[in-house]
PDB file of all heavy atoms in Angstrom:
ATOM      1  N   ASN A 193     -17.740  17.845   9.833  1.00  0.00           N
ATOM      2  CA  ASN A 193     -19.137  17.875  10.263  1.00  0.00           C
ATOM      3  C   ASN A 193     -19.525  16.668  11.111  1.00  0.00           C
ATOM      4  O   ASN A 193     -20.674  16.559  11.555  1.00  0.00           O
ATOM      5  CB  ASN A 193     -20.066  17.945   9.049  1.00  0.00           C
ATOM      6  CG  ASN A 193     -20.002  19.288   8.351  1.00  0.00           C
ATOM      7  OD1 ASN A 193     -20.005  20.331   8.996  1.00  0.00           O
ATOM      8  ND2 ASN A 193     -19.933  19.270   7.029  1.00  0.00           N
ATOM      9  N   SER A 194     -18.581  15.765  11.352  1.00  0.00           N
ATOM     10  CA  SER A 194     -18.888  14.537  12.087  1.00  0.00           C
ATOM     11  C   SER A 194     -18.972  14.797  13.585  1.00  0.00           C
ATOM     12  O   SER A 194     -18.391  15.759  14.104  1.00  0.00           O
ATOM     13  CB  SER A 194     -17.816  13.481  11.811  1.00  0.00           C
ATOM     14  OG  SER A 194     -16.575  13.864  12.381  1.00  0.00           O
ATOM     15  N   SER A 195     -19.669  13.917  14.263  1.00  0.00           N
ATOM     16  CA  SER A 195     -19.803  14.051  15.719  1.00  0.00           C
ATOM     17  C   SER A 195     -18.470  13.961  16.450  1.00  0.00           C
ATOM     18  O   SER A 195     -18.206  14.757  17.352  1.00  0.00           O
ATOM     19  CB  SER A 195     -20.770  12.981  16.255  1.00  0.00           C
ATOM     20  OG  SER A 195     -22.067  13.179  15.746  1.00  0.00           O
ATOM     21  N   PRO A 196     -17.591  13.001  16.093  1.00  0.00           N
ATOM     22  CA  PRO A 196     -16.309  12.955  16.817  1.00  0.00           C
ATOM     23  C   PRO A 196     -15.529  14.261  16.717  1.00  0.00           C
ATOM     24  O   PRO A 196     -14.853  14.652  17.669  1.00  0.00           O
ATOM     25  CB  PRO A 196     -15.559  11.806  16.130  1.00  0.00           C
ATOM     26  CG  PRO A 196     -16.633  10.939  15.570  1.00  0.00           C
ATOM     27  CD  PRO A 196     -17.718  11.877  15.146  1.00  0.00           C
ATOM     28  N   PHE A 197     -15.627  14.959  15.568  1.00  0.00           N
ATOM     29  CA  PHE A 197     -14.867  16.193  15.395  1.00  0.00           C
ATOM     30  C   PHE A 197     -15.558  17.377  16.070  1.00  0.00           C
ATOM     31  O   PHE A 197     -14.922  18.155  16.784  1.00  0.00           O
ATOM     32  CB  PHE A 197     -14.659  16.496  13.909  1.00  0.00           C
ATOM     33  CG  PHE A 197     -13.757  17.677  13.655  1.00  0.00           C
ATOM     34  CD1 PHE A 197     -12.386  17.559  13.759  1.00  0.00           C
ATOM     35  CD2 PHE A 197     -14.295  18.910  13.339  1.00  0.00           C
ATOM     36  CE1 PHE A 197     -11.555  18.646  13.533  1.00  0.00           C
ATOM     37  CE2 PHE A 197     -13.472  20.012  13.107  1.00  0.00           C
ATOM     38  CZ  PHE A 197     -12.097  19.874  13.208  1.00  0.00           C
ATOM     39  N   THR A 198     -16.858  17.513  15.871  1.00  0.00           N
ATOM     40  CA  THR A 198     -17.555  18.669  16.435  1.00  0.00           C
ATOM     41  C   THR A 198     -17.696  18.580  17.946  1.00  0.00           C
ATOM     42  O   THR A 198     -17.815  19.606  18.624  1.00  0.00           O
ATOM     43  CB  THR A 198     -18.956  18.817  15.811  1.00  0.00           C
ATOM     44  OG1 THR A 198     -19.699  17.597  16.001  1.00  0.00           O
ATOM     45  CG2 THR A 198     -18.853  19.085  14.309  1.00  0.00           C
ATOM     46  N   LEU A 199     -17.650  17.373  18.499  1.00  0.00           N
ATOM     47  CA  LEU A 199     -17.806  17.209  19.947  1.00  0.00           C
ATOM     48  C   LEU A 199     -16.479  16.900  20.638  1.00  0.00           C
ATOM     49  O   LEU A 199     -16.478  16.550  21.818  1.00  0.00           O
ATOM     50  CB  LEU A 199     -18.784  16.063  20.239  1.00  0.00           C
ATOM     51  CG  LEU A 199     -20.218  16.255  19.710  1.00  0.00           C
ATOM     52  CD1 LEU A 199     -21.061  15.032  20.011  1.00  0.00           C
ATOM     53  CD2 LEU A 199     -20.848  17.511  20.291  1.00  0.00           C
ATOM     54  N   ARG A 200     -15.374  17.059  19.912  1.00  0.00           N
ATOM     55  CA  ARG A 200     -14.078  16.734  20.516  1.00  0.00           C
ATOM     56  C   ARG A 200     -13.785  17.677  21.684  1.00  0.00           C
ATOM     57  O   ARG A 200     -14.241  18.813  21.709  1.00  0.00           O
ATOM     58  CB  ARG A 200     -12.962  16.817  19.468  1.00  0.00           C
ATOM     59  CG  ARG A 200     -12.616  18.229  19.016  1.00  0.00           C
ATOM     60  CD  ARG A 200     -11.724  18.214  17.788  1.00  0.00           C
ATOM     61  NE  ARG A 200     -11.240  19.534  17.447  1.00  0.00           N
ATOM     62  CZ  ARG A 200     -11.946  20.472  16.890  1.00  0.00           C
ATOM     63  NH1 ARG A 200     -13.234  20.267  16.607  1.00  0.00           N
ATOM     64  NH2 ARG A 200     -11.414  21.659  16.589  1.00  0.00           N
ATOM     65  N   LYS A 201     -13.003  17.170  22.608  1.00  0.00           N
ATOM     66  CA  LYS A 201     -12.627  17.943  23.784  1.00  0.00           C
ATOM     67  C   LYS A 201     -11.195  18.419  23.641  1.00  0.00           C
ATOM     68  O   LYS A 201     -10.315  17.675  23.222  1.00  0.00           O
ATOM     69  CB  LYS A 201     -12.757  17.109  25.055  1.00  0.00           C
ATOM     70  CG  LYS A 201     -14.193  16.651  25.337  1.00  0.00           C
ATOM     71  CD  LYS A 201     -14.233  15.822  26.608  1.00  0.00           C
ATOM     72  CE  LYS A 201     -15.662  15.350  26.902  1.00  0.00           C
ATOM     73  NZ  LYS A 201     -15.703  14.486  28.113  1.00  0.00           N
TER      74      LYS A 201
END
Side-chain angles (χ1 to χ4, degrees):
N193 290 316
S194 68
S195 296
F197 186 78
T198 56
L199 298 178
R200 71 192 188 285
K201 297 180 180 178

